[in-house]
Amino acid sequence: MSEAVTPRHARHTGGLMRSIYLPRTTDALAFAMSTYGIPLLVLATTRSATLTGAAFALEWIPRLAAFGWAGSVVDRRGAAVVFHLASLGRALALAAGAVLLHLHPSGTVASATVMVLSATTGVLTEFSYIAAETAGAAAGRRAGRRAHRVQAVLLGIDQTATLAGPALAGVLLLAGPPLMLAVITALSLLAALLALRTPHSPVAPARAPTGRSGAGLLTGWRTIRSLPALGWLVTGLTLSNLATGLLQAAGPVIVVKHFGHSTTAVGLVWSAAAAATLFSVTLCRFALDRLGLWPVGAACAALASLGCLAAAQAPDYRSYLVLVAVLMAGEGGMTVVLRTLRSRLIPPEKFGSTLSATILILLLPFPLAGVLTALTPPDALGHVITVCAALQTLGLFCAFARLRTDPALRT
């Protein structure tokens, strides 16, 4: 029996590697480098905490506006097509930005270029992300009871990219912004080529009103409301993301202004956090086999809450780095639970729209975090983070208390 299963399992794993994991790897690395590299570039250019927070908000607001449209387009056109076109469009935008920064390395043109890149790459990245997640969820459904293993690998890819991306962006930034943008351009082009191998996902019927952003979000919202387990988990994670987003937005200010370290040290914080998350995801992969979704999710929620509360009071850079890593390790475990749950519960023909609505809700706190960072004096950021950490703790406690007896999290 094992002799027959092992080759088939090897072929299945190899197929996932070529069609799902490799495209996701290159796209995730381009995403991580642009998400963390562009705000660092703003701070290095302007030395302004206010503009850094504004850039963070500008990076996320267009992404949120694109989610409804992205989900409906993926449902209508398929994951592979959207993945390819979005990655290609991002490569073209970054190439244009690299040329402009080479010609105008400082001043108004440089600042405007970076701000426009924040918005443009954010929108295109969300299209590729929704498409990649849709393809990954389809692979999880095909894996059956081993769906959490596929989701753990995908999250591991994301965290590995987050581990390498900020540090690589920080190093390349020392060599010059055009070089950093050129490397992200090359990764985006590679992702566009590899996306052609992604299997076609189920598409919505032609008569379905999936072409409009509002219709897609409405479909997704109705689906979330019909799945109480998903709704409660999304609610708790949304409050958690407010605290996490504030730490991300205020990170350059805290590390550079408060602790007196370089912009490269900011990247090291999130690289260490990604390493901790990667370890957490690997551990959760085996823990979920033995304990189930709820115990693992509840333990990770407690870890994230304690880490965030402590990070708000961190006395120095080293303790801040460690506590952010603890926080993100807990977040990583909860994300595995969320991804597994939504791949099990969401109907395939509505997955893109529901995924868009889910992520839109989860990411709404991020632009708010950027605004809070821009409006808060640097010396008061610790107090604001403490308040958000308390909200995170309350939200996660209520969510997992409600989900304790839900059958969807008992398996």
Side-chain angles (χ1 to χ4, degrees):
M1 182 68 176
S2 60
E3 296 175 356
V5 172
T6 300
R8 183 171 60 193
H9 176 72
R11 288 194 299 271
H12 176 68
T13 302
L16 286 174
M17 178 65 69
R18 292 187 299 272
S19 62
I20 303 295
Y21 298 154
L22 282 178
R24 180 62 167 265
T25 299
T26 52
D27 184 71
L29 186 56
F31 169 82
M33 289 183 68
S34 60
T35 297
Y36 293 98
I38 291 177
L40 281 176
L41 181 57
V42 173
L43 182 63
T45 302
T46 66
R47 300 293 179 182
S48 170
T50 299
L51 288 180
T52 301
F56 190 86
L58 183 63
E59 188 176 14
W60 282 102
I61 290 173
R63 293 184 182 187
L64 300 182
F67 268 115
W69 190 25
S72 60
V73 169
V74 169
D75 281 344
R76 187 174 59 176
R77 300 299 183 188
V81 173
V82 176
F83 194 178
H84 170 73
L85 293 177
S87 298
L88 183 61
R90 183 179 59 208
L92 294 175
L94 288 165
V99 171
L100 285 173
L101 288 178
H102 176 73
L103 297 175
H104 304 279
S106 62
T108 304
V109 174
S111 298
T113 298
V114 172
M115 291 295 192
V116 171
L117 279 177
S118 295
T120 304
T121 58
V123 169
L124 292 170
T125 295
E126 292 314 322
F127 273 85
S128 66
Y129 178 76
I130 293 293
E133 278 287 278
T134 301
R141 285 191 294 272
R142 289 192 293 270
R145 294 183 62 85
R146 294 179 178 267
H148 65 275
R149 296 198 170 198
V150 175
Q151 297 304 321
V153 172
L154 291 174
L155 184 56
I157 289 172
D158 288 346
Q159 295 305 317
T160 301
T162 305
L163 172 64
L168 182 58
V171 171
L172 291 173
L173 184 56
L174 296 177
L179 179 60
M180 183 186 76
L181 295 179
V183 171
I184 305 175
T185 298
L187 288 169
S188 297
L189 283 174
L190 182 58
L193 292 175
L194 292 173
L196 297 175
R197 298 181 175 182
T198 302
H200 293 285
S201 59
V203 297
R207 64 180 180 276
T210 57
R212 301 191 306 274
S213 173
L217 287 177
L218 183 59
T219 299
W221 173 246
R222 287 173 175 170
T223 305
I224 293 172
R225 290 186 61 187
S226 69
L227 302 170
L230 183 62
W232 275 101
L233 189 56
V234 167
T235 300
L237 287 175
T238 300
L239 290 173
S240 181
N241 280 352
L242 178 60
T244 304
L246 187 58
L247 281 173
Q248 289 186 17
V253 180
I254 293 173
V255 173
V256 176
K257 299 286 188 179
H258 185 62
F259 294 134
H261 287 260
S262 68
T263 55
T264 303
V266 182
L268 291 177
V269 170
W270 295 106
S271 293
T277 305
L278 188 59
F279 174 77
S280 171
V281 168
T282 303
L283 185 64
C284 286
R285 176 181 175 181
F286 298 102
L288 286 167
D289 285 334
R290 293 164 175 77
L291 303 175
L293 291 175
W294 189 88
V296 174
C300 290
L303 185 67
S305 299
L306 293 174
C308 192
L309 286 167
Q313 308 298 325
D316 53 40
Y317 173 76
R318 181 176 297 179
S319 60
Y320 177 79
L321 182 149
V322 171
L323 291 168
V324 170
V326 170
L327 161 65
M328 297 309 295
E331 290 277 348
M334 288 190 291
T335 303
V336 174
V337 173
L338 173 64
R339 287 183 170 182
T340 303
L341 192 65
R342 71 189 183 198
S343 69
R344 287 182 183 179
L345 298 180
I346 300 174
E349 68 279 3
K350 297 179 181 178
F351 192 88
S353 297
T354 308
L355 177 63
S356 291
T358 300
I359 298 177
L360 175 60
I361 296 169
L362 289 173
L363 295 185
L364 281 173
F366 283 89
L368 176 59
V371 173
L372 286 174
T373 302
L375 296 178
T376 304
D379 293 340
L381 281 173
H383 301 297
V384 177
I385 294 172
T386 299
V387 173
C388 292
L391 289 174
Q392 174 194 42
T393 302
L394 179 62
L396 290 176
F397 175 81
C398 292
F400 279 95
R402 173 62 178 80
L403 292 171
R404 181 176 176 81
T405 58
D406 195 298
L409 269 76
R410 302 306 298 176
T411 57

